Amino acid sequence: MSFLLIFFILPYLCTSSYPYGLIRNASIKIPLDMNDDRGHILKSQDCNQCLCNAFSNPKVALFTCTQNESINVTCQFYYFMPIRDEIQYPNVYTNIYLIQTNETFEEKDDCCNTTTLINKINEALRTKENVTTGPLRTLADGDNNTIITVASHRDDSEKRILLKFDKSTFKPVDIPKISGLKAAGYYDEHYYLGTDGNIYVYNKNLSTLLHTITSIGAINAIRFIDKTQEMIVGTAGNGIYVCRKDEVKGYLINCTLIPRIYNDEQLHAVGVVNENAFYVGWDDTDPGIHLYTRNPRDNTWTTKDNDKITHGYETSDIIIDNCKRIWAVVAHGDKVIIYGQNKTVLGAFNVVDKSLFNLMIAENYTLIMSHGSNNGLTRIKPDLNCRPLR
Ligand SMILES: *[C@@H]1O[C@H](CO)[C@@H](O)[C@H](O)[C@H]1NC(C)=O
Ligand SMILES: *[C@@H]1O[C@H](CO)[C@@H](O)[C@H](O)[C@H]1NC(C)=O
Ligand SMILES: *[C@@H]1O[C@H](CO)[C@@H](O)[C@H](O)[C@H]1NC(C)=O
Ligand SMILES: *[C@@H]1O[C@H](CO)[C@@H](O)[C@H](O)[C@H]1NC(C)=O
Ligand SMILES: *[C@@H]1O[C@H](CO)[C@@H](O)[C@H](O)[C@H]1NC(C)=O
Ligand SMILES: *[C@@H]1O[C@H](CO)[C@@H](O)[C@H](O)[C@H]1NC(C)=O
Ligand SMILES: *[C@@H]1O[C@H](CO)[C@@H](O)[C@H](O)[C@H]1NC(C)=O
Ligand SMILES: *[C@@H]1O[C@H](CO)[C@@H](O)[C@H](O)[C@H]1NC(C)=O
Ligand SMILES: *[C@@H]1O[C@H](CO)[C@@H](O)[C@H](O)[C@H]1NC(C)=O
Ligand SMILES: *[C@@H]1O[C@H](CO)[C@@H](O)[C@H](O)[C@H]1NC(C)=O
Ligand SMILES: *[C@@H]1O[C@H](CO)[C@@H](O)[C@H](O)[C@H]1NC(C)=O
C-alpha cells in the first residue's frame, strides 16, 4: 500500500551528477495499490541531498521534494514515470525532480504547449527589462556568455558598431570599436562581422582582423550550423551564401552562393532547423517563408514550393525552438507569429514597442529582443516549467 523503504542516512557528497529536470510547485498523487519496490522515502536536510541519492540509484525515475513546517524536507522517490494526470499543480510546498530525463510527461510541458507559452509571454511582457537605446539589428550569442548586436544607423556608418552584453546580468561589456557593420555572428572562437559588402573575421577578443571575405553584398543575417560547421549568410539583393571552413585558415570563409528563390530583395531572416534544413524570410510581404534542404549526395541546397509557409508579412527574423515550432518576427509589425511543423499558425503575440526586429530564445524561454527604433534591447522572463533538453 505504501512506500516501505525509509532511509535516514545521507550521502554527504554526490559522487556523480547528471542533468535533471525540475517542475516547480507540483507534486504527484498516485492512485493506491503501489507495490513495495516502486519507490522509497528519504528525509533529508535539503533537496540537493535527495538528488545525490537519486543519482546513485539507477532505478529512480523522478522524486518529489516537499518542505513542510519542519526544517527538513521529505523526498518521495519513484521508480517509474507517473502519467500526466497524476501531477498535482500547483502545490507550493513541493517540487518534482526528473532524473531520467529521456522520459517525460509529454503533455505537461508548459513550454511546448503554445497556449500556455503565449499566456505566460503576454504576462511577462508587462515587466520588461531594457538596456541601451537606439536602433539595433542582429542578435546572436557571443563568447563568454554574452549576446552581440549591432547599432543600426542608416546614414552614419561610423555609428554602426558592434555591441556586446552579458547574457545573465544584461549589462554592457566593453569591446573595441568596430564600425561600418550591419550584422554579426560568433562561432568557434571567431567573430564574423558583416558590412555593406564584406565579412570581417575577427579573433575572440576582437583585437585582430584575421581575414576579410570580400564582395558578397550587404550582409543582413549571419547564422551557423553547428554540426556541419557552416555559416549561412543572408544579403540584400545578392542571395544566400553557405560558407564552409577553409581547412588551411580554419575559419568559415569558403562561401558558395546557393540557388535563389526570390530575386533582389532584402533577405533578413535565417532560421536553422538542423544540419540539413533552414528557413529564410525577406523584408517583403510576397514570398512567405521558405525552407532550404540539403541534398546529402552532392551537398547542394534546394527548396521546393510545397515547403513554403504562407506568411503574408515582411519577416525580420526566424527562430526554430526546442519544440520544433517556427517563430517568425513580423518586421514593422511588432508581432511574432508561431507556426507548427505542419505550417499552420499555432499562435501569435504582440510586442508593444516600436520596430521589434530580432528575437532570441534563451534558456527557459527568456526572450531577448532587439528593436529597430530607439528601444534598444529588451528582455522578458516568462514564468514557465520547461522540459529539460535532451
Ligand atoms: C532532520 O534530518 C536529520 C537527518 O538529516 C535528522 O537527524 C533530524 O532529526 C531531522 N530533524 C527533524 C526535525 O526531523
Ligand atoms: C504539512 O504537515 C501537516 C501536518 O503534518 C499536514 O496537515 C499538511 O498537509 C502538510 N502539508 C503538506 C504540503 O504536506
Ligand atoms: C511557486 O510558488 C511560489 C509561492 O506561492 C510562487 O512565488 C512562485 O511563483 C511559484 N512558481 C511557479 C513556477 O509557479
Ligand atoms: C532512458 O534511458 C535509460 C538508460 O539510459 C534506458 O534504460 C531507458 O530505456 C530509456 N527510456 C526511453 C523511454 O528511451
Ligand atoms: C495547454 O494548456 C492549456 C491551458 O494553459 C490547457 O487547457 C491544454 O489542455 C494544454 N494542452 C495540452 C496538450 O496539454
Ligand atoms: C528603459 O525604458 C524606460 C521606459 O521606457 C526608459 O525610461 C529608460 O531610459 C530605458 N533604459 C534604457 C537603458 O534604455
Ligand atoms: C567572461 O565574463 C566574466 C563575467 O562577466 C568576466 O569576469 C571574465 O573576465 C570574462 N572572461 C573573458 C575571457 O572575457
Ligand atoms: C587578444 O588575443 C590575442 C591572442 O589571440 C592576444 O595576443 C592579445 O593580447 C589579446 N588582447 C587583449 C586586449 O586581451
Ligand atoms: C572550398 O570549398 C570547395 C567545395 O565547395 C572545395 O573544393 C575547396 O577545396 C575549398 N577550399 C578550401 C581552401 O578549403
Ligand atoms: C497542425 O498541427 C497542430 C498542432 O500540432 C494541430 O492542432 C492542427 O490540427 C494541425 N493542422 C493540420 C492541418 O494538420
Ligand atoms: C532555468 O530553469 C531551471 C529550472 O527552474 C533553473 O534551474 C535555471 O537556473 C534556469 N536558468 C536560467 C538561466 O534562469
Side-chain angles (χ1 to χ4, degrees), residues 20-24 168 362-364 366 381 384-386:
Y20 61 92
L22 177 60
I23 302 178
R24 281 169 295 173
S168 308
E363 217 187 339
N364 300 339
T366 289
K381 292 184 167 175
L384 288 159
N385 288 303
C386 291

Side-chain angles (χ1 to χ4, degrees), residues 66 68-69 91 93:
T66 303
N68 204 336
E69 283 87 47
N91 177 338
Y93 301 102

Side-chain angles (χ1 to χ4, degrees), residues 144-187:
N144 195 26
N145 188 39
T146 60
I147 43 179
I148 50 170
T149 179
V150 169
S152 162
H153 294 270
R154 195 178 285 266
D155 304 319
D156 190 346
S157 168
E158 265 303 294
K159 286 187 182 165
R160 288 200 257 126
I161 57 170
L162 185 70
L163 301 171
K164 192 168 166 186
F165 300 89
D166 186 295
K167 203 170 180 178
S168 308
T169 63
F170 218 46
K171 294 269 188 329
V173 176
D174 274 345
I175 47 170
K177 183 180 172 187
I178 302 172
S179 54
L181 303 184
K182 291 201 75 185
Y186 172 77
Y187 182 77

Side-chain angles (χ1 to χ4, degrees), residues 130-133:
N130 60 356
V131 60
T132 200
T133 52

Side-chain angles (χ1 to χ4, degrees), residues 154-351:
R154 195 178 285 266
D155 304 319
D156 190 346
S157 168
E158 265 303 294
K159 286 187 182 165
R160 288 200 257 126
I161 57 170
L162 185 70
L163 301 171
K164 192 168 166 186
F165 300 89
D166 186 295
K167 203 170 180 178
S168 308
T169 63
F170 218 46
K171 294 269 188 329
V173 176
D174 274 345
I175 47 170
K177 183 180 172 187
I178 302 172
S179 54
L181 303 184
K182 291 201 75 185
Y186 172 77
Y187 182 77
D188 191 20
E189 313 272 299
H190 294 101
Y191 277 94
Y192 294 84
L193 309 178
T195 70
D196 276 319
N198 305 323
I199 295 178
Y200 300 142
V201 185
Y202 270 83
N203 64 344
K204 185 172 165 178
N205 64 16
L206 292 159
S207 64
T208 313
L209 175 61
L210 302 169
H211 183 86
T212 304
I213 309 173
T214 54
S215 307
I216 73 170
I219 312 300
N220 282 337
I222 296 177
R223 292 276 186 247
F224 300 92
I225 305 182
D226 272 346
K227 202 164 175 179
T228 49
Q229 303 193 315
E230 286 165 303
M231 173 165 69
I232 318 288
V233 178
T235 69
N238 283 337
I240 309 158
Y241 291 84
V242 174
C243 305
R244 304 203 178 95
K245 194 185 249 181
D246 179 304
E247 292 306 337
V248 180
K249 294 209 162 77
Y251 339 125
L252 311 181
I253 56 176
N254 190 354
C255 301
T256 315
L257 193 60
I258 65 171
R260 284 191 190 195
I261 298 168
Y262 191 68
N263 277 328
D264 305 323
E265 279 296 340
Q266 304 261 356
L267 192 144
H268 266 294
V270 176
V272 174
V273 180
N274 58 34
E275 72 269 28
N276 294 317
F278 61 87
Y279 283 101
V280 293
W282 289 262
D283 189 25
D284 193 299
T285 54
D286 290 337
I289 292 171
H290 284 260
L291 181 70
Y292 272 99
T293 52
R294 188 197 303 269
N295 180 346
R297 240 174 301 149
D298 56 4
N299 220 10
T300 55
W301 293 87
T302 51
T303 181
K304 294 188 213 82
D305 256 2
N306 61 359
D307 282 339
K308 173 184 163 168
I309 296 176
T310 307
H311 173 79
Y313 304 94
E314 291 145 335
T315 311
S316 56
D317 208 350
I318 298 173
I319 292 117
I320 318 302
D321 71 7
N322 292 324
C323 310
K324 299 201 164 68
R325 290 174 298 216
I326 300 128
W327 300 47
V329 179
V330 175
H332 322 297
D334 296 319
K335 181 178 184 156
V336 177
I337 301 179
I338 303 176
Y339 295 93
Q341 280 180 288
N342 62 9
K343 309 183 192 98
T344 58
V345 176
L346 298 177
F349 61 92
N350 291 292
V351 181

